[in-house]
Amino acid sequence: MLGPRPEYGMGARVDVAAGRGKTRDIARAAVRAELAQVALDLFLREGFDKVTLDDLAAAAGVSRSTFLRYFGSKEEAVLSVFDAHGRQIADAVRARPADEDDWTALRHGLDVAIEHYRQDPARALTMTRLVLDTPALCARQLEKQRGWWPALANALVERTDSPQPLTPAISVKAAAALDCLNIALDHWTASDGRLDLVDLLDQAFAALSSR
């Protein structure tokens, strides 16, 4: 008679639980993206300041409490698209060759951040203009970015064969890289997307390159 196989049973239960968790995450991300699109459309049509959370919930066909389970504020409904950027940029910087200088690594790392501007420039331009023209959104976006640069600084430290200590100079480089991104986006938006964002970012970085 075969005895019980607890290892197999436990593994199967773990696999099923993990699969269900992944499915829930995918479903939640899909609903979140749909709610964000509804919010963006309404903000563009009515104006950010005029739209309330109740308006957003009604437009999405959900209750206010349901909407708040996905977004804690109107600002988050717009800026959620940027949530993963800090981690993605840091990962890209960390993956750069160890013998590459920090400034070059940061420049290449930011390619991740500007990719969606290149894939869908019309939507990206609309989103960027909304953020820049709305003080509450602009302030919240800058606050988000304030949380990015420590991760970028740590990525610079960790990507070398012999990790260097985190110094003010490294933190300044990370912060300056994000400033270059913002300035490039400002010029790109002012041109109605006609200028090349990659070229603008290259120009911004070149202005601070060592000579």
Side-chain angles (χ1 to χ4, degrees), residues 173-194:
K173 290 177 186 177
L178 292 176
D179 282 339
C180 286
L181 173 62
N182 289 334
I183 290 169
L185 285 172
D186 286 347
H187 283 266
W188 180 74
T189 305
S191 76
D192 290 327
R194 288 189 294 270

Side-chain angles (χ1 to χ4, degrees), residues 14-207:
V14 169
D15 288 344
V16 169
R20 288 174 178 169
K22 185 174 182 180
T23 300
R24 283 195 298 270
D25 290 342
I26 293 173
R28 179 178 175 80
V31 173
R32 187 175 165 87
E34 184 175 349
L35 291 177
Q37 183 60 56
V38 169
L40 178 60
D41 291 342
L42 192 57
F43 290 144
L44 293 175
R45 188 166 63 250
E46 304 294 338
F48 182 83
D49 293 329
K50 293 182 179 180
V51 175
T52 67
L53 286 170
D54 287 332
D55 294 332
L56 294 174
V62 299
S63 68
R64 177 189 171 99
S65 61
T66 296
F67 191 90
L68 286 172
R69 281 204 297 271
Y70 290 91
F71 301 108
S73 68
K74 295 195 305 179
E75 290 80 6
E76 286 304 307
V78 175
L79 300 175
S80 61
V81 68
F82 303 110
D83 283 349
H85 281 193
R87 174 183 53 79
Q88 291 170 345
I89 298 169
D91 287 345
V93 168
R94 193 176 291 109
R96 298 301 302 173
D99 60 352
E100 190 172 68
D101 68 271
D102 289 344
W103 198 233
T104 301
L106 285 166
R107 169 60 193 88
H108 286 298
L110 285 176
D111 283 336
V112 174
I114 64 174
E115 182 58 30
H116 82 278
Y117 293 89
R118 302 176 65 187
Q119 290 180 347
D120 191 350
R123 176 177 168 79
L125 182 62
T126 298
M127 174 80 76
T128 305
R129 185 172 285 119
L130 175 64
V131 172
L132 293 177
D133 291 344
T134 308
L137 288 173
C138 195
R140 183 69 183 98
Q141 175 65 354
L142 290 174
E143 182 182 344
K144 276 180 176 288
Q145 287 189 355
R146 177 63 178 76
W148 293 358
W149 70 254
L152 296 190
N154 284 322
L156 289 175
V157 168
E158 295 164 2
R159 75 186 183 89
T160 58
D161 293 331
S162 300
Q164 52 188 318
L166 180 59
T167 64
I170 293 175
S171 294
V172 166
K173 290 177 186 177
L178 292 176
D179 282 339
C180 286
L181 173 62
N182 289 334
I183 290 169
L185 285 172
D186 286 347
H187 283 266
W188 180 74
T189 305
S191 76
D192 290 327
R194 288 189 294 270
L195 296 177
D196 188 317
L197 182 54
V198 173
D199 183 57
L200 290 170
L201 189 55
D202 286 340
Q203 290 181 47
F205 265 72

